[in-house]
Amino acid sequence: MQLWDRLRKTGAMFQSLEGVARVHVVWQGKTATMTQALLVEKPDRFRAETLNPFGFGSPLMLMVTDGTELAVMVPGEGLMFRGEASSRNLQRFTRLPLQLADLVHLLLYQVPVIPYESLTGSVGLAGDYLLQLQGTENGRQELWFDPNQRLVESVYYQGDNLALRVKYENFSEGESPFPRSASMEMPQQQAEASLTFSELATNVVSEGPRFRLATPEGYEERPIP
């Protein structure tokens, strides 16, 4: 099936990104908006620097993981937190109930695909396309493509309940279009997030130990609470 081949090709196209994004997070009724410098690399390496809103001085927070250890530096408090790169520890700072590898892949325009028993496709009135996957354990996934066959939405259901919705918009030009805007919704966890890149480069080569973080002199190091 052409759309299935397109999905697999797109998922393998982007291995890393570096950019600056405006990030908006809603978690259990609490809202946060920030500008972050992001460096993301498959399969599970992630670096997020929350920039000072005044545009100068130290970042508000720097979070780095190489897939094994999570290190979080808070310059304003002189603190460094360290712990396992688990979903629980990641959620402590991102407020998103996601595994690290899933977060990295979603940011790199590769949506997880559920184990499925059947696959069906259809064409909408607006020229868009839909792939529906019926899962093996009462799960279901809908993959929506625009008329240009770009993946624009992936929706996951558990039974009749919406588990996760991911949307992509504002695609770059060229042979390998990449979404400059993305959003996700997890109603059962009362969580939402969106980001829009103002600066973006894909398939970058990271130099040096940018996914590990040494404790600066004078900082107090603590385990992640």
Side-chain angles (χ1 to χ4, degrees), residues 60-93:
L60 300 183
M61 185 175 73
L62 177 58
M63 178 171 61
V64 175
T65 177
D66 60 359
T68 300
E69 180 188 70
L70 177 65
V72 181
M73 183 172 69
V74 186
E77 299 179 16
L79 295 175
M80 174 72 81
F81 297 96
R82 291 189 188 276
E84 180 187 1
S86 64
S87 59
R88 177 188 176 277
N89 285 343
L90 189 68
Q91 183 178 346
R92 170 72 174 78
F93 297 96

PDB file of all heavy atoms in Angstrom, residues 60-93:
ATOM      1  N   LEU A  60      16.887  29.096  32.332  1.00  0.00           N
ATOM      2  CA  LEU A  60      16.112  28.775  33.520  1.00  0.00           C
ATOM      3  C   LEU A  60      16.326  27.325  33.939  1.00  0.00           C
ATOM      4  O   LEU A  60      16.339  27.008  35.130  1.00  0.00           O
ATOM      5  CB  LEU A  60      14.622  29.024  33.266  1.00  0.00           C
ATOM      6  CG  LEU A  60      14.224  30.451  32.897  1.00  0.00           C
ATOM      7  CD1 LEU A  60      12.706  30.555  32.748  1.00  0.00           C
ATOM      8  CD2 LEU A  60      14.729  31.443  33.937  1.00  0.00           C
ATOM      9  N   MET A  61      16.493  26.453  32.933  1.00  0.00           N
ATOM     10  CA  MET A  61      16.705  25.037  33.210  1.00  0.00           C
ATOM     11  C   MET A  61      17.369  24.392  32.012  1.00  0.00           C
ATOM     12  O   MET A  61      17.118  24.775  30.873  1.00  0.00           O
ATOM     13  CB  MET A  61      15.375  24.339  33.522  1.00  0.00           C
ATOM     14  CG  MET A  61      15.518  22.879  33.952  1.00  0.00           C
ATOM     15  SD  MET A  61      13.927  22.128  34.443  1.00  0.00           S
ATOM     16  CE  MET A  61      13.153  21.957  32.817  1.00  0.00           C
ATOM     17  N   LEU A  62      18.211  23.410  32.275  1.00  0.00           N
ATOM     18  CA  LEU A  62      18.847  22.641  31.220  1.00  0.00           C
ATOM     19  C   LEU A  62      18.646  21.161  31.538  1.00  0.00           C
ATOM     20  O   LEU A  62      19.076  20.689  32.596  1.00  0.00           O
ATOM     21  CB  LEU A  62      20.336  22.969  31.117  1.00  0.00           C
ATOM     22  CG  LEU A  62      21.154  22.176  30.084  1.00  0.00           C
ATOM     23  CD1 LEU A  62      20.586  22.362  28.685  1.00  0.00           C
ATOM     24  CD2 LEU A  62      22.620  22.594  30.134  1.00  0.00           C
ATOM     25  N   MET A  63      17.971  20.440  30.649  1.00  0.00           N
ATOM     26  CA  MET A  63      17.677  19.026  30.848  1.00  0.00           C
ATOM     27  C   MET A  63      18.362  18.231  29.750  1.00  0.00           C
ATOM     28  O   MET A  63      18.186  18.517  28.561  1.00  0.00           O
ATOM     29  CB  MET A  63      16.166  18.784  30.819  1.00  0.00           C
ATOM     30  CG  MET A  63      15.767  17.334  30.972  1.00  0.00           C
ATOM     31  SD  MET A  63      13.972  17.123  31.193  1.00  0.00           S
ATOM     32  CE  MET A  63      13.384  17.823  29.651  1.00  0.00           C
ATOM     33  N   VAL A  64      19.133  17.209  30.142  1.00  0.00           N
ATOM     34  CA  VAL A  64      19.939  16.451  29.201  1.00  0.00           C
ATOM     35  C   VAL A  64      19.837  14.964  29.539  1.00  0.00           C
ATOM     36  O   VAL A  64      19.920  14.582  30.704  1.00  0.00           O
ATOM     37  CB  VAL A  64      21.423  16.898  29.266  1.00  0.00           C
ATOM     38  CG1 VAL A  64      22.280  16.015  28.373  1.00  0.00           C
ATOM     39  CG2 VAL A  64      21.566  18.348  28.864  1.00  0.00           C
ATOM     40  N   THR A  65      19.673  14.142  28.515  1.00  0.00           N
ATOM     41  CA  THR A  65      19.728  12.699  28.719  1.00  0.00           C
ATOM     42  C   THR A  65      20.357  12.010  27.524  1.00  0.00           C
ATOM     43  O   THR A  65      20.117  12.391  26.369  1.00  0.00           O
ATOM     44  CB  THR A  65      18.338  12.100  28.991  1.00  0.00           C
ATOM     45  OG1 THR A  65      18.456  10.671  29.108  1.00  0.00           O
ATOM     46  CG2 THR A  65      17.353  12.427  27.886  1.00  0.00           C
ATOM     47  N   ASP A  66      21.169  10.993  27.824  1.00  0.00           N
ATOM     48  CA  ASP A  66      21.776  10.160  26.780  1.00  0.00           C
ATOM     49  C   ASP A  66      21.020   8.853  26.621  1.00  0.00           C
ATOM     50  O   ASP A  66      21.515   7.920  25.987  1.00  0.00           O
ATOM     51  CB  ASP A  66      23.240   9.885  27.110  1.00  0.00           C
ATOM     52  CG  ASP A  66      23.422   9.162  28.444  1.00  0.00           C
ATOM     53  OD1 ASP A  66      22.415   8.889  29.127  1.00  0.00           O
ATOM     54  OD2 ASP A  66      24.574   8.860  28.812  1.00  0.00           O
ATOM     55  N   GLY A  67      19.826   8.771  27.190  1.00  0.00           N
ATOM     56  CA  GLY A  67      19.033   7.565  27.123  1.00  0.00           C
ATOM     57  C   GLY A  67      19.169   6.690  28.348  1.00  0.00           C
ATOM     58  O   GLY A  67      18.337   5.804  28.586  1.00  0.00           O
ATOM     59  N   THR A  68      20.200   6.940  29.150  1.00  0.00           N
ATOM     60  CA  THR A  68      20.427   6.163  30.369  1.00  0.00           C
ATOM     61  C   THR A  68      20.263   7.028  31.609  1.00  0.00           C
ATOM     62  O   THR A  68      19.517   6.693  32.525  1.00  0.00           O
ATOM     63  CB  THR A  68      21.840   5.539  30.352  1.00  0.00           C
ATOM     64  OG1 THR A  68      21.959   4.687  29.209  1.00  0.00           O
ATOM     65  CG2 THR A  68      22.082   4.718  31.610  1.00  0.00           C
ATOM     66  N   GLU A  69      20.969   8.157  31.624  1.00  0.00           N
ATOM     67  CA  GLU A  69      20.903   9.069  32.764  1.00  0.00           C
ATOM     68  C   GLU A  69      20.194  10.355  32.363  1.00  0.00           C
ATOM     69  O   GLU A  69      20.361  10.853  31.251  1.00  0.00           O
ATOM     70  CB  GLU A  69      22.306   9.413  33.263  1.00  0.00           C
ATOM     71  CG  GLU A  69      22.318  10.366  34.453  1.00  0.00           C
ATOM     72  CD  GLU A  69      23.702  10.844  34.818  1.00  0.00           C
ATOM     73  OE1 GLU A  69      24.284  11.643  34.037  1.00  0.00           O
ATOM     74  OE2 GLU A  69      24.214  10.440  35.869  1.00  0.00           O
ATOM     75  N   LEU A  70      19.395  10.886  33.291  1.00  0.00           N
ATOM     76  CA  LEU A  70      18.752  12.181  33.116  1.00  0.00           C
ATOM     77  C   LEU A  70      19.396  13.164  34.085  1.00  0.00           C
ATOM     78  O   LEU A  70      19.448  12.907  35.296  1.00  0.00           O
ATOM     79  CB  LEU A  70      17.254  12.076  33.392  1.00  0.00           C
ATOM     80  CG  LEU A  70      16.457  13.385  33.321  1.00  0.00           C
ATOM     81  CD1 LEU A  70      16.463  13.959  31.911  1.00  0.00           C
ATOM     82  CD2 LEU A  70      15.014  13.170  33.792  1.00  0.00           C
ATOM     83  N   ALA A  71      19.907  14.262  33.543  1.00  0.00           N
ATOM     84  CA  ALA A  71      20.518  15.312  34.364  1.00  0.00           C
ATOM     85  C   ALA A  71      19.788  16.619  34.113  1.00  0.00           C
ATOM     86  O   ALA A  71      19.553  16.990  32.958  1.00  0.00           O
ATOM     87  CB  ALA A  71      22.000  15.462  34.034  1.00  0.00           C
ATOM     88  N   VAL A  72      19.435  17.304  35.181  1.00  0.00           N
ATOM     89  CA  VAL A  72      18.684  18.561  35.079  1.00  0.00           C
ATOM     90  C   VAL A  72      19.380  19.621  35.921  1.00  0.00           C
ATOM     91  O   VAL A  72      19.531  19.454  37.140  1.00  0.00           O
ATOM     92  CB  VAL A  72      17.224  18.386  35.541  1.00  0.00           C
ATOM     93  CG1 VAL A  72      16.472  19.704  35.410  1.00  0.00           C
ATOM     94  CG2 VAL A  72      16.526  17.294  34.729  1.00  0.00           C
ATOM     95  N   MET A  73      19.796  20.701  35.283  1.00  0.00           N
ATOM     96  CA  MET A  73      20.472  21.791  35.968  1.00  0.00           C
ATOM     97  C   MET A  73      19.530  22.984  36.094  1.00  0.00           C
ATOM     98  O   MET A  73      18.881  23.376  35.123  1.00  0.00           O
ATOM     99  CB  MET A  73      21.730  22.200  35.202  1.00  0.00           C
ATOM    100  CG  MET A  73      22.551  23.291  35.881  1.00  0.00           C
ATOM    101  SD  MET A  73      24.149  23.583  35.056  1.00  0.00           S
ATOM    102  CE  MET A  73      23.602  24.314  33.517  1.00  0.00           C
ATOM    103  N   VAL A  74      19.456  23.545  37.301  1.00  0.00           N
ATOM    104  CA  VAL A  74      18.636  24.733  37.567  1.00  0.00           C
ATOM    105  C   VAL A  74      19.577  25.836  38.041  1.00  0.00           C
ATOM    106  O   VAL A  74      19.866  25.953  39.239  1.00  0.00           O
ATOM    107  CB  VAL A  74      17.547  24.445  38.624  1.00  0.00           C
ATOM    108  CG1 VAL A  74      16.619  25.643  38.762  1.00  0.00           C
ATOM    109  CG2 VAL A  74      16.759  23.188  38.271  1.00  0.00           C
ATOM    110  N   PRO A  75      20.101  26.670  37.127  1.00  0.00           N
ATOM    111  CA  PRO A  75      21.115  27.653  37.502  1.00  0.00           C
ATOM    112  C   PRO A  75      20.652  28.650  38.562  1.00  0.00           C
ATOM    113  O   PRO A  75      21.443  29.054  39.422  1.00  0.00           O
ATOM    114  CB  PRO A  75      21.412  28.358  36.171  1.00  0.00           C
ATOM    115  CG  PRO A  75      21.081  27.342  35.128  1.00  0.00           C
ATOM    116  CD  PRO A  75      19.880  26.628  35.665  1.00  0.00           C
ATOM    117  N   GLY A  76      19.376  29.068  38.492  1.00  0.00           N
ATOM    118  CA  GLY A  76      18.901  30.056  39.445  1.00  0.00           C
ATOM    119  C   GLY A  76      18.921  29.584  40.885  1.00  0.00           C
ATOM    120  O   GLY A  76      18.939  30.396  41.822  1.00  0.00           O
ATOM    121  N   GLU A  77      18.962  28.259  41.091  1.00  0.00           N
ATOM    122  CA  GLU A  77      18.978  27.696  42.445  1.00  0.00           C
ATOM    123  C   GLU A  77      20.286  26.986  42.756  1.00  0.00           C
ATOM    124  O   GLU A  77      20.473  26.475  43.857  1.00  0.00           O
ATOM    125  CB  GLU A  77      17.809  26.729  42.616  1.00  0.00           C
ATOM    126  CG  GLU A  77      16.449  27.393  42.425  1.00  0.00           C
ATOM    127  CD  GLU A  77      15.309  26.404  42.565  1.00  0.00           C
ATOM    128  OE1 GLU A  77      15.537  25.301  43.107  1.00  0.00           O
ATOM    129  OE2 GLU A  77      14.191  26.728  42.129  1.00  0.00           O
ATOM    130  N   GLY A  78      21.193  26.943  41.775  1.00  0.00           N
ATOM    131  CA  GLY A  78      22.469  26.281  41.996  1.00  0.00           C
ATOM    132  C   GLY A  78      22.322  24.793  42.248  1.00  0.00           C
ATOM    133  O   GLY A  78      23.101  24.217  43.019  1.00  0.00           O
ATOM    134  N   LEU A  79      21.349  24.160  41.579  1.00  0.00           N
ATOM    135  CA  LEU A  79      21.054  22.753  41.820  1.00  0.00           C
ATOM    136  C   LEU A  79      21.252  21.918  40.563  1.00  0.00           C
ATOM    137  O   LEU A  79      20.992  22.385  39.444  1.00  0.00           O
ATOM    138  CB  LEU A  79      19.608  22.583  42.308  1.00  0.00           C
ATOM    139  CG  LEU A  79      19.242  23.180  43.668  1.00  0.00           C
ATOM    140  CD1 LEU A  79      17.751  23.026  43.930  1.00  0.00           C
ATOM    141  CD2 LEU A  79      20.056  22.516  44.778  1.00  0.00           C
ATOM    142  N   MET A  80      21.696  20.694  40.757  1.00  0.00           N
ATOM    143  CA  MET A  80      21.798  19.707  39.699  1.00  0.00           C
ATOM    144  C   MET A  80      21.097  18.439  40.166  1.00  0.00           C
ATOM    145  O   MET A  80      21.418  17.894  41.227  1.00  0.00           O
ATOM    146  CB  MET A  80      23.254  19.397  39.378  1.00  0.00           C
ATOM    147  CG  MET A  80      23.437  18.265  38.373  1.00  0.00           C
ATOM    148  SD  MET A  80      22.971  18.742  36.695  1.00  0.00           S
ATOM    149  CE  MET A  80      24.457  19.612  36.200  1.00  0.00           C
ATOM    150  N   PHE A  81      20.107  17.983  39.407  1.00  0.00           N
ATOM    151  CA  PHE A  81      19.390  16.756  39.715  1.00  0.00           C
ATOM    152  C   PHE A  81      19.854  15.658  38.764  1.00  0.00           C
ATOM    153  O   PHE A  81      20.018  15.894  37.563  1.00  0.00           O
ATOM    154  CB  PHE A  81      17.876  16.965  39.567  1.00  0.00           C
ATOM    155  CG  PHE A  81      17.297  17.964  40.518  1.00  0.00           C
ATOM    156  CD1 PHE A  81      17.116  19.285  40.128  1.00  0.00           C
ATOM    157  CD2 PHE A  81      16.945  17.603  41.802  1.00  0.00           C
ATOM    158  CE1 PHE A  81      16.578  20.220  40.998  1.00  0.00           C
ATOM    159  CE2 PHE A  81      16.408  18.528  42.693  1.00  0.00           C
ATOM    160  CZ  PHE A  81      16.225  19.848  42.288  1.00  0.00           C
ATOM    161  N   ARG A  82      20.018  14.438  39.308  1.00  0.00           N
ATOM    162  CA  ARG A  82      20.403  13.301  38.482  1.00  0.00           C
ATOM    163  C   ARG A  82      19.558  12.087  38.819  1.00  0.00           C
ATOM    164  O   ARG A  82      19.158  11.890  39.977  1.00  0.00           O
ATOM    165  CB  ARG A  82      21.883  12.939  38.691  1.00  0.00           C
ATOM    166  CG  ARG A  82      22.855  13.935  38.156  1.00  0.00           C
ATOM    167  CD  ARG A  82      24.289  13.410  38.200  1.00  0.00           C
ATOM    168  NE  ARG A  82      25.214  14.465  37.845  1.00  0.00           N
ATOM    169  CZ  ARG A  82      25.534  14.797  36.605  1.00  0.00           C
ATOM    170  NH1 ARG A  82      25.004  14.121  35.600  1.00  0.00           N
ATOM    171  NH2 ARG A  82      26.373  15.771  36.355  1.00  0.00           N
ATOM    172  N   GLY A  83      19.302  11.275  37.785  1.00  0.00           N
ATOM    173  CA  GLY A  83      18.546  10.054  38.012  1.00  0.00           C
ATOM    174  C   GLY A  83      18.446   9.249  36.740  1.00  0.00           C
ATOM    175  O   GLY A  83      18.989   9.620  35.680  1.00  0.00           O
ATOM    176  N   GLU A  84      17.742   8.149  36.812  1.00  0.00           N
ATOM    177  CA  GLU A  84      17.523   7.296  35.650  1.00  0.00           C
ATOM    178  C   GLU A  84      16.649   8.009  34.627  1.00  0.00           C
ATOM    179  O   GLU A  84      15.754   8.781  34.993  1.00  0.00           O
ATOM    180  CB  GLU A  84      16.845   5.996  36.105  1.00  0.00           C
ATOM    181  CG  GLU A  84      16.555   5.012  34.998  1.00  0.00           C
ATOM    182  CD  GLU A  84      15.739   3.834  35.486  1.00  0.00           C
ATOM    183  OE1 GLU A  84      15.388   3.798  36.681  1.00  0.00           O
ATOM    184  OE2 GLU A  84      15.439   2.954  34.660  1.00  0.00           O
ATOM    185  N   ALA A  85      16.896   7.742  33.358  1.00  0.00           N
ATOM    186  CA  ALA A  85      16.089   8.350  32.290  1.00  0.00           C
ATOM    187  C   ALA A  85      14.792   7.575  32.113  1.00  0.00           C
ATOM    188  O   ALA A  85      14.482   7.067  31.036  1.00  0.00           O
ATOM    189  CB  ALA A  85      16.882   8.384  30.987  1.00  0.00           C
ATOM    190  N   SER A  86      14.013   7.486  33.189  1.00  0.00           N
ATOM    191  CA  SER A  86      12.745   6.761  33.187  1.00  0.00           C
ATOM    192  C   SER A  86      11.615   7.700  32.790  1.00  0.00           C
ATOM    193  O   SER A  86      11.761   8.929  32.832  1.00  0.00           O
ATOM    194  CB  SER A  86      12.465   6.170  34.573  1.00  0.00           C
ATOM    195  OG  SER A  86      12.300   7.209  35.528  1.00  0.00           O
ATOM    196  N   SER A  87      10.469   7.122  32.409  1.00  0.00           N
ATOM    197  CA  SER A  87       9.323   7.955  32.061  1.00  0.00           C
ATOM    198  C   SER A  87       8.870   8.775  33.268  1.00  0.00           C
ATOM    199  O   SER A  87       8.441   9.918  33.122  1.00  0.00           O
ATOM    200  CB  SER A  87       8.180   7.094  31.526  1.00  0.00           C
ATOM    201  OG  SER A  87       7.780   6.132  32.486  1.00  0.00           O
ATOM    202  N   ARG A  88       8.962   8.192  34.466  1.00  0.00           N
ATOM    203  CA  ARG A  88       8.562   8.925  35.671  1.00  0.00           C
ATOM    204  C   ARG A  88       9.446  10.153  35.882  1.00  0.00           C
ATOM    205  O   ARG A  88       8.948  11.254  36.151  1.00  0.00           O
ATOM    206  CB  ARG A  88       8.643   8.008  36.884  1.00  0.00           C
ATOM    207  CG  ARG A  88       8.323   8.716  38.206  1.00  0.00           C
ATOM    208  CD  ARG A  88       8.603   7.840  39.407  1.00  0.00           C
ATOM    209  NE  ARG A  88       8.392   8.559  40.654  1.00  0.00           N
ATOM    210  CZ  ARG A  88       9.287   9.356  41.204  1.00  0.00           C
ATOM    211  NH1 ARG A  88      10.460   9.568  40.598  1.00  0.00           N
ATOM    212  NH2 ARG A  88       9.027   9.980  42.349  1.00  0.00           N
ATOM    213  N   ASN A  89      10.761   9.981  35.788  1.00  0.00           N
ATOM    214  CA  ASN A  89      11.665  11.113  35.982  1.00  0.00           C
ATOM    215  C   ASN A  89      11.516  12.143  34.865  1.00  0.00           C
ATOM    216  O   ASN A  89      11.580  13.352  35.115  1.00  0.00           O
ATOM    217  CB  ASN A  89      13.108  10.620  36.056  1.00  0.00           C
ATOM    218  CG  ASN A  89      13.424   9.950  37.378  1.00  0.00           C
ATOM    219  OD1 ASN A  89      12.697  10.106  38.354  1.00  0.00           O
ATOM    220  ND2 ASN A  89      14.495   9.171  37.406  1.00  0.00           N
ATOM    221  N   LEU A  90      11.323  11.675  33.646  1.00  0.00           N
ATOM    222  CA  LEU A  90      11.128  12.603  32.528  1.00  0.00           C
ATOM    223  C   LEU A  90       9.860  13.425  32.730  1.00  0.00           C
ATOM    224  O   LEU A  90       9.851  14.644  32.505  1.00  0.00           O
ATOM    225  CB  LEU A  90      11.044  11.816  31.223  1.00  0.00           C
ATOM    226  CG  LEU A  90      11.048  12.629  29.929  1.00  0.00           C
ATOM    227  CD1 LEU A  90      12.406  13.281  29.723  1.00  0.00           C
ATOM    228  CD2 LEU A  90      10.711  11.745  28.739  1.00  0.00           C
ATOM    229  N   GLN A  91       8.794  12.772  33.162  1.00  0.00           N
ATOM    230  CA  GLN A  91       7.529  13.467  33.378  1.00  0.00           C
ATOM    231  C   GLN A  91       7.642  14.509  34.493  1.00  0.00           C
ATOM    232  O   GLN A  91       6.943  15.523  34.478  1.00  0.00           O
ATOM    233  CB  GLN A  91       6.424  12.466  33.713  1.00  0.00           C
ATOM    234  CG  GLN A  91       5.055  13.114  33.874  1.00  0.00           C
ATOM    235  CD  GLN A  91       3.961  12.099  34.166  1.00  0.00           C
ATOM    236  OE1 GLN A  91       4.164  10.896  33.991  1.00  0.00           O
ATOM    237  NE2 GLN A  91       2.820  12.566  34.610  1.00  0.00           N
ATOM    238  N   ARG A  92       8.534  14.261  35.426  1.00  0.00           N
ATOM    239  CA  ARG A  92       8.734  15.208  36.527  1.00  0.00           C
ATOM    240  C   ARG A  92       9.075  16.608  36.006  1.00  0.00           C
ATOM    241  O   ARG A  92       8.710  17.616  36.616  1.00  0.00           O
ATOM    242  CB  ARG A  92       9.860  14.679  37.423  1.00  0.00           C
ATOM    243  CG  ARG A  92      10.376  15.644  38.479  1.00  0.00           C
ATOM    244  CD  ARG A  92       9.401  15.837  39.600  1.00  0.00           C
ATOM    245  NE  ARG A  92       9.974  16.646  40.653  1.00  0.00           N
ATOM    246  CZ  ARG A  92      10.101  17.973  40.620  1.00  0.00           C
ATOM    247  NH1 ARG A  92       9.687  18.638  39.553  1.00  0.00           N
ATOM    248  NH2 ARG A  92      10.635  18.624  41.635  1.00  0.00           N
ATOM    249  N   PHE A  93       9.734  16.662  34.835  1.00  0.00           N
ATOM    250  CA  PHE A  93      10.171  17.950  34.300  1.00  0.00           C
ATOM    251  C   PHE A  93       9.443  18.359  33.026  1.00  0.00           C
ATOM    252  O   PHE A  93       9.291  19.547  32.765  1.00  0.00           O
ATOM    253  CB  PHE A  93      11.691  17.920  34.056  1.00  0.00           C
ATOM    254  CG  PHE A  93      12.486  17.729  35.314  1.00  0.00           C
ATOM    255  CD1 PHE A  93      12.918  16.471  35.685  1.00  0.00           C
ATOM    256  CD2 PHE A  93      12.771  18.802  36.139  1.00  0.00           C
ATOM    257  CE1 PHE A  93      13.647  16.279  36.859  1.00  0.00           C
ATOM    258  CE2 PHE A  93      13.490  18.628  37.312  1.00  0.00           C
ATOM    259  CZ  PHE A  93      13.925  17.360  37.674  1.00  0.00           C
TER     260      PHE A  93
END
